Amino acid sequence: MKEAQHTVLVIFGASGDLTSRKLIPALFALHRKKRLTDAISIIGVSRKQYSDDDFRSHLRTAAGEAEGASEWEAFARNVFYQPGDIGNDSGFKALSEKICAVAGTDVFNCLFYLALAPELYAATIEHLGRAGFFTESEENGYRRVIIEKPFGRDFESCTVLNKDIQRYLAEHQIYHIDHYLGKETVQNVLIFRFGNAIFEPLWNRNYIDHVQITVAESVGVEHRAGYYDTSGVLRDMFQNHLLQLLTLVAMEPPALIEADSLRNEKVKVLRTLREIAPEHSARHTVRAQYEGYRSEPGVAPDSTTETYAALRIYIDNWRWQGVPFYLRSGKMLSEKATEIIIQFRRPPTQIFDTQTGSTELFTNRLSICIQPDEGIHLRFITKDPDGGMKTHPVAMAFQSPQAVAAESPDAYERLLLDALNGDASLFTRSDEIELAWKFIDSIRAGWMEDHAPGLTTYARGSWGPSEADDLLACEGHWWILGCMRQETNDLQTKEYTAGRE
């Protein structure tokens, strides 16, 4: 599509927490970095009766009081507000008039951001579509929509929602956002894999023993209990964040670093996930609640919603056949951390350990820490100084300096800028979302069966239930903690269990 000179960003749900806490600060940061021009206008839409000045004042504190007043004033001149009810057609007519008045021309780009409750997505897009907001032609600019997660709550609702939306929008106009893909270290997974010749030849079942992906939260459900108790960690975290990280680790090299090529390779991974049959659910999955969850405000006293889950997943393709991928996520865990662990196979025989009488089973390991300490950590074996042929593990690490990390852009900065520029590489496609839901639904179906794994509990501040440790121990593995920290526990002697044989 032809791109116009002026761009209008319309945020639905502008009075909500996401807008004030994430979107406006991200847009203001882009303005301060000179990545937004005066040719972009922002219009907030919600039911509250703000004037333009009222809305600007409401957002001022969200941008940070420490920021320069002159920079904020320059940014705020391009921020406007339109009260409106998405259930009322007249509100969309008023919005159309506001957009044209702000743009000052009939030719403009328009990006809509749905910072709304998920149940309002379809109705909002229907109203916009019927009013002609999505019409693209050679005479006007682009029309795009950013849609927040969750997108559906299962495969069936996701496909229905996709059909409803695709009545008015083409796939190239739809930007499904997952803020994890905007994190710097997540993007660095692609650079690390495909920009370094020394790793890609080893990135397969011949050299990798297993992969671990952890997304741990140290907080409970807090103010989200109403949503969370009908969702659980499997829907809230695995369907999007963890499966997206898995696809980046497991995908084949794309022909180009552009949206279609990248997303095609991610879809191939999702298509080859081995479904966990209901009768095997107890062998390959763990589900648990943290102690006291049922006493949280807004949680049902007899709730069976899981706040922790661990999965053993296999990918049935040439590169990964037989390699287990262990995924875990939970609330109220020991600390907040997101890590990817690539555990390489041991050498065929540990000749140095045999000669020195050591029983330590050290192996090479690559750790990618996404948060809180961004960095990459490679472990290898070296000789003890003046210790004969005794060995010990050492680490080669890249860790973002604190000064650099402090300046790292928020994920929403990168994603908003990409959407404005028409780059959908870090956004998920409709078929990706459907395939992810299909896989998650198969697990949830297994949990409904009589032979499903029982819902267990775990202590607050722990790393989850003992059953999650057993999930790995039966294969001779153990959870690895502390991507960029001292791995003192892990550097002690470890013995493979009989289950390895």
Side-chain angles (χ1 to χ4, degrees):
M1 283 292 102
K2 173 184 175 181
E3 291 198 13
Q5 293 296 313
H6 200 95
T7 299
V8 179
L9 169 57
V10 180
I11 302 174
F12 287 94
S15 61
D17 181 63
L18 178 63
T19 300
S20 60
R21 188 169 55 89
K22 288 293 186 180
L23 303 185
I24 292 300
L27 290 165
F28 183 43
L30 290 170
H31 167 81
R32 296 180 66 230
K33 295 174 182 178
K34 312 300 183 190
R35 294 176 184 173
L36 297 182
T37 69
D38 289 337
I40 181 169
S41 301
I42 301 163
I43 301 177
V45 180
S46 75
R47 288 182 292 183
K48 289 193 175 180
Q49 295 298 312
Y50 287 132
S51 66
D52 290 341
D53 286 338
D54 291 339
F55 185 55
R56 291 163 185 159
S57 177
H58 166 71
L59 296 175
R60 178 65 183 99
T61 54
E65 293 293 347
E67 306 297 348
S70 60
E71 290 181 311
W72 172 258
E73 291 302 323
F75 171 75
R77 280 196 293 270
N78 294 318
V79 177
F80 305 89
Y81 186 80
Q82 176 61 44
D85 183 351
I86 62 171
N88 191 331
D89 283 334
S90 63
F92 288 89
K93 182 179 179 182
L95 176 60
S96 179
E97 294 170 354
K98 183 80 169 188
I99 291 174
C100 290
V102 165
T105 175
D106 293 333
V107 181
F108 54 86
N109 307 311
C110 206
L111 174 63
F112 300 92
Y113 198 116
L114 304 191
L116 297 166
E119 59 268 21
L120 300 177
Y121 294 161
T124 305
I125 287 174
E126 180 181 1
H127 281 293
L128 289 169
R130 288 202 329 236
F133 281 90
F134 300 140
T135 303
E136 291 183 328
S137 70
E138 292 301 321
E139 285 69 46
N140 65 8
Y142 65 70
R143 301 292 185 267
R144 299 172 188 147
V145 179
I146 298 176
I147 304 176
E148 272 284 346
K149 75 172 190 71
F151 191 81
R153 57 178 287 104
D154 52 28
F155 176 72
E156 182 179 0
S157 62
C158 174
T159 54
V160 169
L161 188 52
N162 269 332
K163 288 177 182 177
D164 289 343
I165 289 175
Q166 289 168 0
R167 290 168 57 197
Y168 302 99
L169 290 163
E171 183 64 46
H172 76 272
Q173 296 177 285
I174 304 170
Y175 287 65
H176 293 287
I177 193 169
D178 182 343
H179 73 274
Y180 255 60
L181 296 182
K183 293 181 180 292
E184 289 288 299
T185 314
V186 173
Q187 298 165 47
N188 209 13
V189 173
L190 295 175
I191 302 296
F192 187 82
R193 282 195 59 191
F194 305 129
N196 295 292
I198 62 173
F199 292 108
E200 186 57 25
L202 309 179
W203 212 266
N204 56 59
R205 59 189 173 86
N206 296 322
Y207 297 98
I208 292 178
D209 184 72
H210 69 276
V211 177
Q212 298 181 22
I213 301 177
T214 296
V215 179
E217 297 181 277
S218 58
V219 297
V221 292
E222 298 180 312
H223 62 281
R224 299 178 68 220
Y227 157 75
Y228 197 90
D229 200 41
T230 62
S231 173
V233 72
L234 201 62
R235 287 188 174 118
D236 189 50
M237 298 296 288
F238 282 79
Q239 185 273 335
N240 39 73
H241 301 333
L242 276 93
L243 288 184
Q244 283 296 315
L245 294 177
L246 181 145
T247 59
L248 293 177
V249 171
M251 66 188 282
E252 296 297 319
L256 299 169
I257 298 297
E258 54 87 30
D260 282 341
S261 293
L262 279 168
R263 297 193 291 186
N264 286 344
E265 296 303 333
K266 288 161 67 181
V267 164
K268 289 178 184 177
V269 174
L270 294 172
R271 288 188 186 281
T272 55
L273 292 180
R274 184 187 303 174
E275 184 175 305
I276 299 176
E279 60 269 25
H280 297 148
S281 180
R283 287 180 51 206
H284 296 284
T285 72
V286 174
R287 59 188 182 123
Q289 272 184 6
Y290 63 78
E291 293 175 353
Y293 170 74
R294 294 177 180 176
S295 300
E296 298 276 20
V299 173
D302 58 348
S303 173
T304 59
T305 299
E306 78 287 351
T307 63
Y308 176 98
L311 311 177
R312 179 170 53 233
I313 294 174
Y314 291 94
I315 299 172
D316 289 330
N317 64 16
W318 191 274
R319 182 185 290 262
W320 296 111
Q321 188 67 41
V323 176
F325 284 71
Y326 299 106
L327 278 58
R328 64 172 171 170
S329 182
K331 289 188 174 295
M332 278 293 180
L333 297 179
S334 178
E335 60 184 272
K336 180 178 181 177
T338 301
E339 305 175 352
I340 300 171
I341 305 294
I342 311 296
Q343 183 73 51
F344 290 93
R345 294 188 181 279
R346 295 175 59 218
T349 177
Q350 297 283 51
I351 56 174
F352 300 110
D353 288 347
T354 301
Q355 289 178 354
T356 59
S358 173
T359 60
E360 295 177 344
L361 301 175
F362 296 133
T363 58
N364 299 121
R365 174 184 306 146
L366 177 67
S367 306
I368 302 171
C369 190
I370 295 169
Q371 62 179 9
D373 302 315
E374 298 181 3
I376 299 171
H377 181 196
L378 178 65
R379 192 179 79 160
F380 57 96
I381 310 305
T382 189
K383 177 184 176 297
D384 266 346
D386 197 25
M389 298 303 288
K390 188 176 181 181
T391 64
H392 74 281
V394 295
M396 181 184 295
F398 159 73
Q399 188 168 2
S400 296
Q402 290 187 353
V404 174
E407 293 298 320
S408 293
D410 181 82
Y412 280 94
E413 283 185 48
R414 171 64 188 267
L415 295 171
L416 282 166
L417 190 61
D418 281 358
L420 289 165
N421 292 332
D423 184 354
S425 300
L426 299 178
F427 294 82
T428 51
R429 204 166 60 191
S430 299
D431 53 349
E432 280 185 73
I433 300 174
E434 290 184 3
L435 287 167
W437 273 125
K438 189 174 183 180
F439 180 73
I440 293 300
D441 281 0
S442 71
I443 296 172
R444 293 196 64 84
W447 286 359
M448 301 297 289
E449 299 286 335
D450 292 337
H451 41 253
L455 180 70
T456 187
T457 59
Y458 59 98
R460 293 168 177 246
S462 69
W463 277 105
S466 60
E467 287 83 354
D469 297 327
D470 297 340
L471 182 71
L472 275 68
C474 68
E475 298 289 339
H477 302 146
W478 55 90
W479 292 110
I480 298 165
L481 310 176
C483 175
M484 296 301 297
R485 297 169 292 281
Q486 280 296 104
E487 301 176 18
T488 52
N489 292 333
D490 187 52
L491 297 184
Q492 296 172 357
T493 299
K494 295 282 189 177
E495 295 292 347
Y496 273 42
T497 66
R500 181 67 179 171
E501 296 177 358

